[in-house]
Amino acid sequence: MSNSTASADHADEPNLPNETVDLSLLLRAMHADLGIFRRLRPEQLMAVIKESSAEIARLQALQLHCLAGMRRRRSDARELASELALTLHITDNRAGAMIVAAEALAERLPRTFRLMDRGQLDMYRAMKVTDGTSWLSDHNARIVDVLLENRLANKNPTQIRRATAYAAMKIDSAGATNRTSQRRAERRVVLHHQAEGISQLSVDNTSTDKANAAYSRIDRIARALKNGDEKRTLDQLRADVALDLLLSGKGGAAGKVEVFLYLDLETYLGLNDNPAELAGHGHIPAELARHIATGPDTTLRRVITDPLTGQVIEVGKFRYRPSVDVEEFVRVRDRECRQPGCPRPAQNCVTESTGSSATDADSTLSYCIRHRRLKDRADWQYQVLGDGRLAITTPTGQKVEAMPPPLHEPRPRPEHPGEERLGA
């Protein structure tokens, strides 16, 4: 190809040098024509990726500066985390982690914070420093901040975590020993729900010797089961053995557990493969739902919904009446804590009537312990509207309204007025 032809091919490309990128120019061009990214050269695309990453880091720093300012004005970090979670549509845990990071960067790690201000360190990598220095005193954290100032900008998260751990242990070796004991005292089991009916179960902060012993036992049993007829891989066998040991104590049959599973009748009968919903987890594939629903110890309850809204109107054998077990109805209807974004299953929550009558299901809601306490704060406003919708006003005036998500998509009214259906 001649030079003149090559020049013609790139005549309509924006003039973006390889080292620096005018992001505002590119954003305007992108809004006008998304095809621009097909015409940029690879080196231009990589330059944009690099510069936009730096800009994201600067914006994250701005966000954390604002969070640190909010924290100085709020005495209760958990309450602030709940408001931030509603504002950014994130979980309370994620919001709490952001607040902790903002406070640490502003008060204990100003040099690390400055790297974010300059676009040299994003939030994820900066939080490796805040996490790794959380056990240090303010004085020692500031010393580590000085030691790391020139060692972070071009490092990946793993390198930053290791550098931070080394610096922290070097500055306070006695504290590191105490930290190990403290971490063991914080041992816990964590359940993390993922997509498509899959979850992660882990034992955190256990001592290394016990963890190794437990893994060795699981591995030994799994290898003993790996004979010529066994089609499962060793990894699959280890996972199955671990769960069997937890559920039965014998590495055999599973024990009983209570879960709330919602699936429509046609899915249960195998007439369709619509996803079902497992309270506290979310949607799971139809095949897994049928496997759970057809278990030998499964108890099925009929739930009737309003076809126009998908909301629950009846539970059990008879049509719901306010005098019939309001608490059970509310838990089935809500499925999870009514605080928007909280995934705690309703069966692990408390129910509370906000109306004048304890038998009024519309004004009775499910709350986890954390959000039950939050709603009683004077600076938070919780109001249950006539249709059962929950309206929340946060201390800074953010307004959120929410209802339990429908069990199914709203369905159209029947074509003939004489036809009536209670639900599905």
Side-chain angles (χ1 to χ4, degrees), residues 371-388:
H371 293 119
R372 169 65 180 76
R373 293 170 180 164
L374 183 67
K375 67 176 289 295
D376 285 341
R377 292 182 61 101
D379 48 355
W380 284 74
Q381 297 178 23
Y382 282 70
Q383 181 183 9
V384 180
L385 306 180
D387 58 357

Side-chain angles (χ1 to χ4, degrees), residues 336-349:
E336 296 173 350
C337 172
R338 284 295 298 274
Q339 180 82 2
C342 180
R344 290 170 180 82
Q347 67 262 40
N348 298 335
C349 295

Side-chain angles (χ1 to χ4, degrees), residues 6-169:
S7 299
D9 286 344
H10 297 289
D12 54 354
E13 290 180 357
N15 185 19
L16 296 176
N18 293 335
E19 297 301 325
T20 60
V21 177
D22 188 337
L23 291 182
S24 60
L25 170 64
L26 184 59
L27 285 171
R28 290 195 299 271
M30 178 184 74
H31 293 155
D33 178 17
L34 288 175
I36 186 175
F37 297 104
R38 295 188 181 92
R39 300 192 298 273
L40 292 176
R41 297 187 299 275
E43 61 271 19
Q44 291 178 314
L45 291 170
M46 190 57 71
V48 171
I49 291 170
K50 180 178 180 180
E51 184 56 34
S52 60
S53 178
E55 189 63 26
I56 288 170
R58 287 187 282 267
L59 289 172
Q60 289 175 332
L62 174 61
Q63 193 177 54
L64 292 181
H65 278 296
C66 292
L67 268 181
M70 287 290 294
R71 181 68 181 95
R72 295 185 192 101
R73 293 165 172 80
R74 296 283 185 86
S75 60
D76 190 337
R78 289 168 66 91
E79 178 258 348
L80 176 58
S82 291
E83 182 171 8
L84 181 65
L86 290 177
T87 302
L88 298 184
H89 309 291
I90 57 179
T91 64
D92 282 25
N93 287 341
R94 174 61 178 169
M98 289 176 63
I99 292 169
V100 169
E103 193 172 15
L105 289 165
E107 304 296 332
R108 293 156 50 92
L109 303 165
R111 295 169 187 262
T112 302
F113 213 173
R114 198 173 304 146
L115 292 175
M116 289 192 68
D117 292 334
R118 295 199 292 256
Q120 296 177 286
L121 196 68
D122 60 31
M123 186 190 304
Y124 181 72
R125 291 185 294 154
M127 289 177 74
K128 298 299 181 183
V129 182
T130 61
D131 291 345
T133 56
S134 62
W135 56 275
L136 293 174
S137 67
D138 289 352
H139 174 73
N140 286 337
R142 293 188 183 101
I143 295 176
V144 171
D145 189 39
V146 173
L147 292 176
L148 294 178
E149 181 178 12
N150 298 318
R151 305 179 185 180
L152 301 180
N154 298 316
K155 299 294 190 297
N156 65 37
T158 299
Q159 293 170 323
I160 291 175
R161 176 181 59 78
R162 290 174 178 172
T164 302
Y166 176 79
M169 286 186 285

Side-chain angles (χ1 to χ4, degrees), residues 184-288:
R184 288 176 179 170
E186 295 171 349
R187 57 192 178 274
R188 59 178 184 167
V189 175
V190 178
L191 176 62
H192 176 63
H193 291 307
Q194 299 169 317
E196 300 167 345
I198 300 300
S199 297
Q200 178 180 337
L201 180 68
S202 63
V203 182
D204 289 356
N205 299 330
T206 188
S207 60
T208 300
D209 55 340
K210 287 189 176 182
N212 283 334
Y215 182 85
S216 296
R217 182 185 180 190
I218 292 168
D219 182 65
R220 186 167 58 252
I221 296 173
R223 290 181 182 277
L225 294 173
K226 186 64 175 172
N227 54 40
D229 298 328
E230 179 57 65
K231 296 181 178 179
R232 288 174 291 179
T233 67
L234 268 176
D235 280 337
Q236 292 170 338
L237 282 167
R238 291 188 192 103
D240 293 344
V241 166
L243 288 176
D244 289 344
L245 286 169
L246 286 171
L247 292 171
S248 70
K250 301 176 182 178
K256 295 182 179 180
V257 64
E258 182 185 50
V259 296
F260 283 8
L261 175 69
Y262 300 80
L263 72 164
D264 63 44
L265 180 60
E266 291 183 347
T267 303
Y268 174 70
L269 296 175
L271 301 178
N272 66 40
D273 286 321
N274 293 336
E277 182 179 346
L278 188 64
H281 174 95
H283 288 96
I284 62 175
E287 183 177 354
L288 176 59

